[in-house]
Amino acid sequence: MIKTRLISLSQIRRRRVYVFGLMALATLLLGIKWISAMPTEANLAAKIIMTTLFLLTSAWISLFFFSSLFGFFELLRGRNVPGVKWVAETTALKTKTAVLMPVYNENPHQVFANLLAMARSLSQTGQGEHFDIFVLSDTTNPKCWIEEEDVWNQARKLMPKKINLYYRRRPKNVARKSGNIEDFCHKWGVLYDYMIVLDADSLLDGHTMLRMSQLMEANSDTGIIQAPPMCINSHSLFARIQQFAGRVYGPIVSAGLAYWQIGDSNYWGHNAIIRVKAFIDCCGLPVLSGRKPFGGHILSHDFVEAALIRRGGWQAWLLPELRGSYEECPPTMIDFAMRDRRWCQGNMQHLKILVSKHLHPVSRVHFTIGIMSYLSSPLWLSFLIVGMLVALGHEYFPPEYFEKEQTLFPIWPIFDKIGTIALFVISMSMLIFPKFLGIILYIKNNKSSQIGGVCGALKSLVAEIFFSALTAPIMMVFQSKFVWEIFTGQDAGWNTQNRGGSTSWSEAWHRHFGHMILGIITTIVVWKYINPLFYWILPVTIGLMLSVPVSVLSSKSSVGDFFLKHKWFVIPEELTKPDIASLAKDAYNFLNISQNQGVVSLIKNPYLLEVHNALLDSNGPAPEFSTEITDNAKIKLDNYVSYQKTPDFSRDEEIFLLYNPEILREAALMLNLA
């Protein structure tokens, strides 16, 4: 059992002074050194711009470094987060928890397989009756809708007896995931004390969910407990590298955040438990004024919900001690970037919320960190561009050694080359050093045979650093483009996340052509006009020039399997699969996978048709359709029934039919008579 550790307000303040004081001190010292190392002949405007950009990027690096450093020492000493009251794992629950799985055009078989696994894992704890599971669908694809109902009907028959599996679909996905959760709270929240919020790729061990509910009961002033998710089930090289990095560095990052956040932590949108009363009382999210992308519904709702719950007087905890929390990585660099585009817009919306009244100061820090995580890319890019322009100007406009007034001695321009190199080395060390701290704990806490050997772990670390160096410039340009699009009024929308597949050469050319051209042009210009910077800029331009092959090759599962076979990027969960992952794999094999044809599947299967019709009551009122859509839908359905002509329904035509049970029953009857 984990022991409860007490902490006072003065100790909490002291921790924050340590982290942010060291960040400020390091930024100040680096800034002073930068000012002294700058070329004296640079004009004042260039000096001010470059110094400002340097200070902002240095502050960001310093916060990451010192937070990770404190996290390392916390984990090294085996210390858990203080201030949380822990209880025995055998403590009987007195409350009820809803497990919520919001979905949006996801693979139903994988979703319900994961939920079946979690239900069986909960049942093994002996307290499964305290949990119910809800699939909250915002699916807009009509064929996926019918497939969800079909697989739900299969899964509920396989569920443990004491755990219920419910399904409902909203006709309109207002406010997306946050609106989906809010809709659940308004309709069924009164029946539950807590809710565990998942993503479509989430896997939570039953003992972890039980522990989260026990902690909620024991800490009555707590509104949110976040269990840090770990990536598993990765196959492509890109995903496997992200998975390895998360497994090695993730723990010290989480522990570092928990060190200074204490009861003022953030919420990451999934794999967390929330007190329903706190959510209902505090989390009615506003619709931001103005046009998208800054206006409208809030995309990154999780940060805002955590801030509102904290403003309401509830505590929020990030607990690295909670194991058994899993998710999956995006399989390709492009998928990673597309998810980042949505997150970038959501974090830029936080610029409006940052100045809201009565927020806790730490909540404002969370918003600032989220905003800076994306603004740092255009800041770095701007820093590089301004630096090259200054160097280019030096080549074309040589300094004047004698002023207009006659002087005895020339005025020599001063450029501290050694100092500049030292700043570069220090900055890179602050970025990379936490990775070595992570690998120390990784090797210390795992048997050599579980991680592909110590040499395997070390060579994987070096390879991950090399791969990060290749991809960092690509992501920098991606994110800079995202920030530009947002500030010029371009909305990201909300697309279904790709959870499988690879990147084709044609798609890579389309997505990375600009990166490649930028890298080539920059390399040529620097080589020809500012040759002294050539080798310094090469680490940036190489990644850009190779962006197409790097993106394609890293997206392939075959390449990932090759590296796994040769003991690269191995994590313990690959060699010894977690019980919950094994349960999910078994459950997937139990579910029948059939070719879904939407409306056609319904009228061919009377039982599935009645299941669908019975579920319509919980879906809410049907949307309105134009006469053209309704007429075309009926004609196409009649042609199928009469002549077996495969219907080419539009999305709206098929949805119209799915909301009209009488039309479907009549078509099913006519089809059977034929």
Side-chain angles (χ1 to χ4, degrees):
M1 175 182 169
I2 300 175
K3 292 183 179 180
T4 298
R5 293 174 59 211
L6 300 178
I7 189 168
S8 65
L9 286 175
S10 61
Q11 289 173 313
I12 295 173
R13 294 192 192 100
R14 195 178 306 134
R15 287 180 172 219
R16 291 169 182 170
V17 169
Y18 289 158
V19 174
F20 289 94
L22 287 170
M23 179 200 79
L25 179 61
T27 303
L28 177 63
L29 293 175
L30 289 171
I32 291 172
K33 183 60 183 173
W34 168 254
I35 291 172
S36 67
M38 286 184 68
T40 55
E41 75 273 15
N43 64 56
L44 181 61
K47 288 181 178 179
I48 292 174
I49 293 172
M50 291 195 71
T51 301
T52 302
L53 294 172
F54 181 83
L55 289 174
L56 289 171
T57 53
S58 296
W60 178 245
I61 292 172
S62 299
L63 178 59
F64 165 75
F65 174 78
F66 287 110
S67 182
S68 299
L69 194 63
F70 281 103
F72 169 76
F73 286 113
E74 288 292 290
L75 293 177
L76 188 65
R77 287 180 276 184
R79 299 172 65 180
N80 60 293
V81 177
V84 179
K85 181 181 178 182
W86 292 84
V87 295
E89 296 179 10
T90 55
T91 303
L93 289 177
K94 301 175 183 177
T95 51
K96 192 80 171 176
T97 300
V99 180
L100 309 183
M101 175 70 86
V103 294
Y104 178 73
N105 297 325
E106 299 285 352
N107 178 351
H109 293 84
Q110 191 62 64
V111 166
F112 283 98
N114 287 358
L115 291 176
L116 272 174
M118 287 185 266
R120 290 171 179 174
S121 185
L122 278 170
S123 183
Q124 291 171 2
T125 68
Q127 299 199 53
E129 69 273 14
H130 293 276
F131 297 83
D132 285 336
I133 298 177
F134 288 77
V135 175
L136 307 176
S137 175
D138 267 353
T139 290
T140 56
N141 183 324
K143 290 181 172 55
C144 187
W145 171 10
I146 298 307
E147 193 172 2
E148 286 174 356
E149 294 180 341
D150 182 16
V151 184
W152 165 77
N153 189 49
Q154 296 179 49
R156 69 185 181 89
K157 298 174 184 177
L158 299 171
M159 288 286 289
K161 290 182 180 179
K162 294 183 179 180
I163 303 177
N164 297 309
L165 175 63
Y166 299 104
Y167 170 87
R168 80 95 174 90
R169 175 188 170 274
R170 289 197 301 169
K172 294 183 179 180
N173 58 332
V174 177
R176 304 179 179 90
K177 184 176 180 178
S178 62
N180 205 350
I181 302 296
E182 186 177 350
D183 179 77
F184 165 83
C185 288
H186 287 318
K187 292 178 179 176
W188 300 287
V190 70
L191 302 174
Y192 298 92
D193 301 280
Y194 320 120
M195 55 184 180
I196 294 175
V197 181
L198 306 172
D199 257 358
D201 60 352
S202 293
L203 262 180
L204 271 172
D205 187 272
H207 290 87
T208 304
M209 290 190 277
L210 173 62
R211 204 81 179 106
M212 294 164 83
S213 294
Q214 289 171 335
L215 288 172
M216 274 293 190
E217 280 192 5
N219 297 270
S220 57
D221 59 347
T222 294
I224 298 177
I225 295 175
Q226 176 72 61
M230 181 192 306
C231 286
I232 59 171
N233 295 333
S234 295
H235 300 288
S236 70
L237 177 61
F238 179 85
R240 295 199 70 254
I241 292 175
Q242 301 305 310
Q243 177 179 270
F244 173 80
R247 185 66 173 82
V248 174
Y249 324 136
I252 68 168
V253 172
S254 297
L257 292 173
Y259 173 81
W260 60 266
Q261 291 175 0
I262 311 295
D264 304 318
S265 295
N266 215 340
Y267 162 49
W268 300 345
H270 60 281
N271 293 31
I273 188 168
I274 302 175
R275 192 176 298 271
V276 174
K277 174 177 170 51
F279 190 91
I280 291 175
D281 290 348
C282 305
C283 293
L285 295 184
V287 177
L288 298 178
S289 60
R291 297 175 57 188
K292 296 178 181 180
F294 285 100
H297 293 290
I298 300 170
L299 296 187
S300 293
H301 56 90
D302 39 13
F303 280 40
V304 182
E305 288 159 350
L308 293 176
I309 284 178
R310 189 67 193 89
R311 186 175 73 173
W314 302 93
Q315 291 190 319
W317 295 93
L318 169 64
L319 298 182
E321 299 88 344
L322 292 173
R323 310 296 183 187
S325 172
Y326 304 104
E327 63 177 350
E328 295 182 5
C329 297
T332 73
M333 190 191 307
I334 291 175
D335 292 318
F336 186 91
M338 293 305 98
R339 185 184 69 174
D340 237 24
R341 173 62 175 88
R342 188 174 71 242
W343 287 0
C344 180
Q345 181 169 325
N347 279 274
M348 292 305 105
Q349 287 180 313
H350 294 167
L351 286 166
K352 285 188 172 184
I353 301 167
L354 183 62
V355 295
S356 299
K357 295 180 180 179
H358 311 304
L359 292 180
H360 193 281
V362 176
S363 296
R364 298 189 197 276
V365 172
H366 291 318
F367 287 131
T368 303
I369 290 173
I371 292 166
M372 282 302 300
S373 66
Y374 290 97
L375 288 183
S376 61
S377 287
L379 287 175
W380 269 110
L381 185 60
S382 300
F383 181 79
L384 291 172
I385 291 172
V386 173
M388 285 191 292
L389 289 175
V390 169
L392 197 61
H394 179 77
E395 292 294 319
Y396 276 91
F397 304 100
E400 294 184 7
Y401 298 102
F402 293 93
E403 295 184 344
K404 292 180 180 179
E405 296 80 9
Q406 292 184 356
T407 60
L408 184 60
F409 300 102
I411 301 174
W412 297 108
I414 299 173
F415 173 61
D416 186 357
K417 183 177 180 180
I418 302 300
T420 304
I421 294 173
L423 282 173
F424 174 80
V425 172
I426 291 171
S427 299
M428 291 302 102
S429 298
M430 292 177 77
L431 283 172
I432 295 173
F433 185 67
K435 299 188 177 190
F436 287 95
L437 297 179
I439 203 71
I440 291 171
L441 292 175
Y442 185 65
I443 294 172
K444 174 180 177 290
N445 296 333
N446 295 283
K447 295 179 181 179
S448 174
S449 59
Q450 294 179 317
I451 56 175
V454 173
C455 290
L458 291 174
K459 72 181 183 182
S460 297
L461 171 70
V462 174
E464 189 277 332
I465 292 172
F466 176 75
F467 184 79
S468 295
L470 276 180
T471 57
I474 304 171
M475 293 309 302
M476 176 183 68
V477 176
F478 260 135
Q479 291 180 349
S480 299
K481 177 176 178 285
F482 297 159
V483 172
W484 170 260
E485 288 174 347
I486 291 164
F487 278 92
T488 54
Q490 300 178 54
D491 180 34
W494 190 282
N495 298 317
T496 303
Q497 186 171 319
N498 179 30
R499 304 192 189 277
S502 59
T503 301
S504 66
W505 286 99
S506 60
E507 183 181 12
W509 276 104
H510 172 69
R511 298 283 188 177
H512 297 294
F513 181 76
H515 302 154
M516 186 179 63
I517 294 300
L518 176 63
I520 293 172
I521 291 175
T522 303
T523 302
I524 293 173
V525 169
V526 172
W527 171 261
K528 189 172 182 179
Y529 299 105
I530 38 180
N531 192 263
L533 290 182
F534 178 74
Y535 293 105
W536 292 101
I537 204 69
L538 207 56
V540 175
T541 56
I542 283 179
L544 294 172
M545 289 188 288
L546 297 178
S547 56
V548 171
V550 167
S551 185
V552 172
L553 295 176
S554 67
S555 74
K556 295 187 178 299
S557 295
S558 57
V559 179
D561 292 340
F562 173 84
F563 277 86
L564 175 61
K565 181 180 178 181
H566 292 83
K567 305 296 183 183
W568 293 79
F569 312 115
V570 177
I571 64 171
E573 289 73 17
E574 284 182 305
L575 302 181
T576 306
K577 192 176 286 290
D579 291 340
I580 187 68
S582 298
L583 287 171
K585 184 177 180 180
D586 293 341
Y588 190 88
N589 294 330
F590 274 110
L591 296 173
N592 179 40
I593 302 177
S594 57
Q595 186 175 4
N596 185 275
Q597 297 176 294
V599 166
V600 172
S601 293
L602 278 187
I603 61 177
K604 284 182 174 180
N605 187 336
Y607 177 74
L608 183 59
L609 176 58
E610 291 310 311
V611 168
H612 167 77
N613 291 340
L615 288 170
L616 285 178
D617 290 338
S618 65
N619 285 344
E624 295 182 0
F625 299 94
S626 67
T627 303
E628 181 182 3
I629 288 174
T630 60
D631 290 345
N632 286 341
K634 292 175 183 178
I635 291 170
K636 291 176 182 178
L637 183 62
D638 287 342
N639 286 338
Y640 172 72
V641 171
S642 301
Y643 308 110
Q644 301 297 304
K645 181 181 178 182
T646 303
D648 56 339
F649 297 118
S650 69
R651 186 184 72 89
D652 287 342
E653 290 167 356
E654 196 157 9
I655 289 177
F656 161 74
L657 292 172
L658 292 177
Y659 272 105
N660 286 272
E662 294 305 321
I663 295 176
L664 294 176
R665 286 195 182 102
E666 182 180 350
L669 179 62
M670 296 299 295
L671 186 66
N672 289 330
L673 290 176

